[in-house]
Every structure is written in structure tokens, then in C-alpha cells.
């Protein structure tokens, strides 16, 4: 059964070196098959921040493979010509030529979706969107995947929010995406953005959300966190790992079984 370490919102520019060191120690004990990073690698998308991220990824890839997609903080919020005309140039220069990568392994398939937008018809430009063409593209990318292969979408913006974060809004066109993902047999969506760890099931699709793993941009009462996910097409276990000031420790486990119609939670607390 593959083991994924899921981190998000690492926000270099607001990172905490001691937390990063603690994460490497904890992840060395876990020995995941892959590390999945669901966006917001930088705080202001500056060259200095991207350089620091590149150094982190260089160290990371010496130990484990990684899968990464961008978030809204990974395009400039202050350089408007850059934001509107070449929003992903720095990403492509420093991180990857791809903003929507695909990885097909023996036991699982990961499909990245770039939900960040330079602007939108809403006040909060940090809000995400998944377009109809992106939904169709995701369906096509999973075509031909073995029935017993775990199917995972990785996106930055949330497809569900707990009560205290509803003001942030879910990704635009969420309902159409969830409908399509359900019929495509997608098992899980990994996401970030609001700096809270939680799980939720929508139409049989399991949503697993990570908090901010390295940054000091913490919500009141929340610590830095990441998720450890052990999963195949029949069962999933999610372990929340939280920073206690000295190290990361497991604070909660949730278990899920695949039944007719999708995923069902069988152990652990519901939602947040």
C-alpha cells in the first residue's frame, strides 16, 4: 500500500527553519513513496523566495520523489504586468515547466490541477477556480487507468470548507467538478489554501486538506501540520501530524473504506 506525505502552504518567505528540520526528521521515519505539495510554495513569488524553494526541493529529491502544483501565492501580487502576462514564468524557471503535472505509478495516478487565477469576477482574487475544460482534461487524464489503481487529484484550493472558513469560498465550479470526479471514479482530492487540516466526503470522493506545514502564518489555536496517507483502491488511512514546538507527532487518525457509491468513513472523528 503506497504511503504519501501531503504538505501544503509552505510559504517560503515566512518559513520556520526549525519546523522544516523537524519535518525532514519526521518524514525520514515515515519513508513515504512520494511527497505531495499542494501549492503556495512562496509568500510573494519573489526570486529570493523561489530560490529558497528550489534549494528545499533539491534537498527533498535526494531522499524522496515529489509531486508539486502551484497556488495563488506562487504568482506575484504586486508586479501586475508579471501577474497578468506571465504569471507562471518564475514557477517554470525555478520549479517545473508543468503547472498541471501527471504521474502514473503502478498503484496510483496523481493528476495536478492549477486552480489559481490572476484575477476573477469576485473581490477576493486569491479564490480558486476549476474551469469546464480543466474538468474535462482531468477526466481524460484518468482514462485507461486500471480499476484497482488509486485515482488522486491534487489542487490548491478547497472543494469543501468547515464553518469557520466558509467565508473564503470553495473553488469556483466545485459542484460540476465533484459530479464529474464521482462519475470518473476519482478517489481523493488533496488540497490546501486555508491552513487547516481536515477531511470530508462529497459524493463518495474523499477530500483531504493540509494545514500550513512550515510557515508562521498560523490560525489561532492551530499548529504547523501535514498529513500521512496510506491508501489503495479499497482503504485509506489519514494521519494528522502536528508540530508541538519540538517535533511533529501524530495527533489523530481517520480511516475510510471504499464501498458501492464511493468512500465511507469507518474510524476517527468526522470533518475537522
Amino acid at each position: 500500500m503506497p504511503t504519501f506525505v501531503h504538505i501544503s502552504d509552505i510559504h517560503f518567505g515566512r518559513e520556520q527553519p526549525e519546523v522544516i528540520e523537524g519535518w525532514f526528521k519526521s518524514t525520514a521515519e515515515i519513508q513515504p513513496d512520494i511527497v505531495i505539495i499542494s501549492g503556495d510554495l512562496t509568500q510573494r513569488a519573489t526570486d529570493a523566495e523561489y530560490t529558497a524553494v528550489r534549494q528545499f526541493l533539491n534537498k527533498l529529491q535526494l531522499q524522496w520523489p515529489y509531486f508539486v502544483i502551484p497556488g495563488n501565492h506562487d504568482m506575484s501580487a504586486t508586479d501586475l504586468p508579471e501577474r497578468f502576462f506571465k504569471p507562471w514564468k518564475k514557477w517554470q524557471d525555478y520549479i517545473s515547466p508543468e503547472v498541471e503535472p501527471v504521474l502514473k505509478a503502478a498503484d496510483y495516478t496523481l493528476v495536478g490541477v492549477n486552480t489559481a487565477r490572476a484575477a476573477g469576477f469576485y473581490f477576493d482574487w486569491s479564490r480558486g477556480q476549476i474551469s469546464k475544460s480543466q474538468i474535462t482534461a482531468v477526466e481524460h487524464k484518468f482514462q485507461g487507468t486500471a480499476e484497482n489503481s488509486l485515482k488522486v487529484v491534487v489542487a490548491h484550493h478547497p472543494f469543501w470548507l468547515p464553518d469557520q472558513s466558509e467565508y473564503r469560498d470553495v473553488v469556483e465550479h466545485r459542484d460540476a467538478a465533484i459530479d464529474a470526479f464521482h462519475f470518473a471514479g476519482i478517489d481523493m482530492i488533496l488540497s490546501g489554501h486555508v491552513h487547516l487540516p481536515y477531511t470530508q466526503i462529497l459524493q463518495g470522493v474523499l477530500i483531504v486538506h493540509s494545514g500550513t506545514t512550515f510557515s508562521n502564518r498560523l490560525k489561532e489555536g492551530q499548529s504547523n501540520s501535514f498529513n500521512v496517507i496510506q491508501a489503495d483502491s479499497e482503504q485509506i488511512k489519514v494521519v494528522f501530524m502536528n508540530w508541538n514546538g519540538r517535533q511533529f507527532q501524530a495527533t489523530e487518525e481517520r480511516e475510510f473504506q471504499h464501498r458501492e457509491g464511493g468512500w465511507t468513513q469507518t474510524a476517527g472523528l468526522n470533518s475537522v
Side-chain angles (χ1 to χ4, degrees), residues 80-101:
L80 295 185
E82 177 183 308
R83 182 179 182 91
F84 287 109
F85 296 107
K86 47 182 181 179
W88 302 116
K89 184 178 187 303
K90 286 179 182 173
W91 178 273
Q92 292 166 334
D93 287 346
Y94 287 99
I95 308 302
S96 169
E98 300 290 338
V99 295
E100 295 191 320

Side-chain angles (χ1 to χ4, degrees), residues 52-238:
V53 174
R54 183 67 264 168
Q55 292 171 345
F56 164 74
L57 294 176
N58 288 345
K59 180 178 179 180
L60 175 62
Q61 68 186 359
L62 292 175
Q63 301 177 68
W64 311 284
Y66 66 84
F67 183 93
V68 61
I69 53 100
N72 54 285
H73 274 265
D74 298 319
M75 71 177 90
S76 179
T78 56
D79 186 335
L80 295 185
E82 177 183 308
R83 182 179 182 91
F84 287 109
F85 296 107
K86 47 182 181 179
W88 302 116
K89 184 178 187 303
K90 286 179 182 173
W91 178 273
Q92 292 166 334
D93 287 346
Y94 287 99
I95 308 302
S96 169
E98 300 290 338
V99 295
E100 295 191 320
V102 176
L103 175 63
K104 295 192 175 185
D107 300 321
Y108 59 89
T109 297
L110 307 178
V111 172
V113 180
N114 181 13
T115 55
R117 297 292 187 269
F121 294 105
Y122 32 76
F123 178 74
D124 181 5
W125 283 2
S126 73
R127 184 183 178 189
Q129 180 187 122
I130 181 169
S131 68
K132 293 180 180 179
S133 63
Q134 284 178 303
I135 295 169
T136 300
V138 169
E139 293 174 302
H140 288 164
K141 289 171 183 177
F142 281 110
Q143 285 180 354
T145 303
E147 187 174 343
N148 62 350
S149 178
L150 188 76
K151 302 173 183 65
V152 183
V153 168
V154 183
H156 178 63
H157 289 88
F159 286 72
W160 180 86
L161 286 166
D163 291 344
Q164 68 264 42
S165 297
E166 282 188 341
Y167 71 97
R168 298 298 304 275
D169 290 323
V170 296
V171 64
E172 192 172 11
H173 304 136
R174 185 276 307 271
D175 292 348
I178 291 294
D179 285 344
F181 293 175
H182 169 73
F183 286 110
I186 291 167
D187 296 294
M188 186 163 51
I189 303 171
L190 305 184
S191 53
H193 188 57
V194 296
H195 298 192
L196 286 173
Y198 57 78
T199 62
Q200 181 67 22
I201 298 171
L202 292 180
Q203 292 194 45
V205 180
L206 174 61
I207 295 169
V208 181
H209 203 91
S210 173
T212 176
T213 306
F214 300 154
S215 86
N216 59 11
R217 299 184 64 233
L218 295 165
K219 293 184 177 295
E220 185 176 356
Q222 292 291 322
S223 60
N224 294 102
S225 63
F226 70 95
N227 304 322
V228 180
I229 304 168
Q230 294 176 299
D232 59 22
S233 60
E234 296 182 355
Q235 55 189 345
I236 297 174
K237 180 169 77 171
V238 179

